[in-house]
Amino acid sequence: MRGFPPIQIFLLCLAFIVLAVPLSHLTGNTSNAKVIKVAAKEANSVKALLRLRFAHQPSTLSLKIADKELITTTDASPLELDAVLPSTKEGVDVFLSATWPDNTPDTALTLELEPDGLEARSQTRWSAAGSLDEVITFSWK
């Protein structure tokens, strides 16, 4: 005798379900926890376009966001680069430091920050006596 095919299919499906449920619990939980932690870290960071313009070329220039040095050289104005911001919820602090050669008049530096999905913001600071050392805060609401 060959058996009744619907009963054989039912028994096969039952055996599959009995084995699949414990296997999914064993293999699924550990990898999901790691992915959630990594995704949470990446969810807080935001990609942004950063532009720095100056009228007179500085002799030294330093721009830091979240203790990460982004610009250390002075090329032609404007300088543009892609940056990763830690978060824009509480604002972003940019540490800007620059010096100019002697006999350079007071000059302006404009910093523009444009995070993905948010409006661009720019702020201008003026040097005094050939140097500039500022903390510039950008915020979006």
Side-chain angles (χ1 to χ4, degrees):
M1 283 191 164
R2 297 182 99 199
F4 191 57
I7 292 176
Q8 291 175 343
I9 291 173
F10 174 74
L11 291 176
L12 181 64
C13 290
L14 184 63
F16 178 77
I17 291 171
V18 168
L19 292 174
V21 171
L23 285 174
S24 70
H25 286 288
L26 288 174
T27 59
N29 288 342
T30 57
S31 64
N32 285 343
K34 291 178 184 175
V35 169
I36 291 170
K37 289 179 183 177
V38 171
K41 287 181 182 178
E42 291 176 1
N44 291 337
S45 63
V46 177
K47 291 183 180 180
L49 177 66
L50 187 136
R51 280 186 206 94
L52 183 66
R53 292 185 181 99
F54 43 85
H56 298 91
Q57 186 168 349
S59 56
T60 63
L61 179 65
S62 171
L63 188 136
K64 294 180 184 179
I65 296 177
D67 296 331
K68 183 178 177 186
E69 189 83 33
L70 297 177
I71 297 176
T72 56
T73 61
T74 57
D75 295 329
S77 179
L79 294 172
E80 288 188 1
L81 64 111
D82 293 322
V84 177
L85 306 177
S87 176
T88 58
K89 290 180 181 178
E90 297 155 4
V92 176
D93 290 332
V94 178
F95 301 93
L96 183 62
S97 177
T99 59
W100 285 267
D102 292 337
N103 300 324
T104 302
D106 289 348
T107 186
L109 264 161
T110 299
L111 179 64
E112 184 177 348
L113 200 56
E114 185 176 355
D116 286 348
L118 295 172
E119 188 175 312
R121 301 262 193 255
S122 71
Q123 294 193 25
T124 301
R125 296 293 190 264
W126 284 85
S127 69
S131 68
L132 175 74
D133 195 18
E134 291 276 334
V135 177
I136 302 172
T137 303
F138 291 92
S139 62
W140 291 266
K141 293 183 182 183

